[in-house]
Amino acid sequence: MKYITSFLLALSVSAAALHASEKIVIGPKGGRLLETEPQKAEFFVNADRKVEISFYDADLKPVAPGAQVLAVTAEPKAGRTKVEFEKSATGYVSKAALPEGEPYRVVVQVRATPEAKPQNFRVDFNLETCGECKHPEYACTCDAK
Ligand SMILES: [Zn+2]
């Protein structure tokens, strides 16, 4: 019994940690802020359905991209597509629009440097506006998912 109790406790602790890390924060452009190190990154989809990744310091002031390496994959039902980026003034912008067929998952992998450990983020890509928080669904801050 003692074993089972500690096992359940461990389970609930890891579930709580997982939930906390998935809390969505809105970035300055209205996209989803990704808690990357050392600079924060924002995932934002513009009117052309292109992904803009912008970098910010701890005070959310825009900063020029450093040595980050991005790997973004769109995963619509039609098949996974690697999203290619080009550098912009404040970060990166995708060369092409995201594929049709949302909602689907977009996986964003950011490395602080080419040698650094990757940090992965799963974005549920959906451009519809949430009726409650008024953010696009991919950056919805409502608790109930
Ligand atoms: Zn919402």
Side-chain angles (χ1 to χ4, degrees):
M1 189 62 206
K2 196 177 175 192
Y3 170 78
I4 291 171
T5 307
S6 57
F7 176 71
L8 286 177
L9 187 68
L11 264 185
S12 61
V13 166
S14 60
L18 195 67
H19 185 78
S21 68
E22 285 184 349
K23 191 172 188 321
I24 290 175
V25 177
I26 299 296
K29 285 184 175 176
R32 179 169 163 183
L33 199 66
L34 308 176
E35 294 289 333
T36 52
E37 299 284 343
Q39 297 166 340
K40 294 180 195 298
E42 182 180 13
F43 175 96
F44 174 73
V45 182
N46 67 22
D48 298 327
R49 295 173 62 93
K50 288 183 174 180
V51 180
E52 295 179 15
I53 303 279
S54 311
F55 294 101
Y56 302 96
D57 66 14
D59 298 323
L60 294 183
K61 295 255 175 3
V63 289
Q68 291 97 338
V69 178
L70 285 178
V72 179
T73 311
E75 302 184 343
K77 284 198 183 77
R80 291 182 178 200
T81 314
K82 193 172 185 297
V83 181
E84 305 280 353
F85 285 90
E86 54 197 5
K87 243 179 184 169
S88 69
T90 56
Y92 292 89
V93 61
S94 66
K95 291 180 181 170
L98 280 170
E100 302 285 336
E102 70 266 20
Y104 57 79
R105 176 176 287 176
V106 175
V107 177
V108 181
Q109 185 184 83
V110 184
R111 290 172 197 258
T113 66
E115 298 79 31
K117 223 175 109 189
Q119 293 175 279
N120 292 301
F121 302 89
R122 290 187 181 89
V123 178
D124 293 315
F125 174 58
N126 182 349
L127 284 175
E128 280 178 32
T129 303
C130 173
E132 283 178 57
C133 67
K134 310 295 180 200
H135 295 297
E137 287 285 359
Y138 72 85
C140 170
T141 55
C142 300
D143 280 340
K145 274 272 180 181

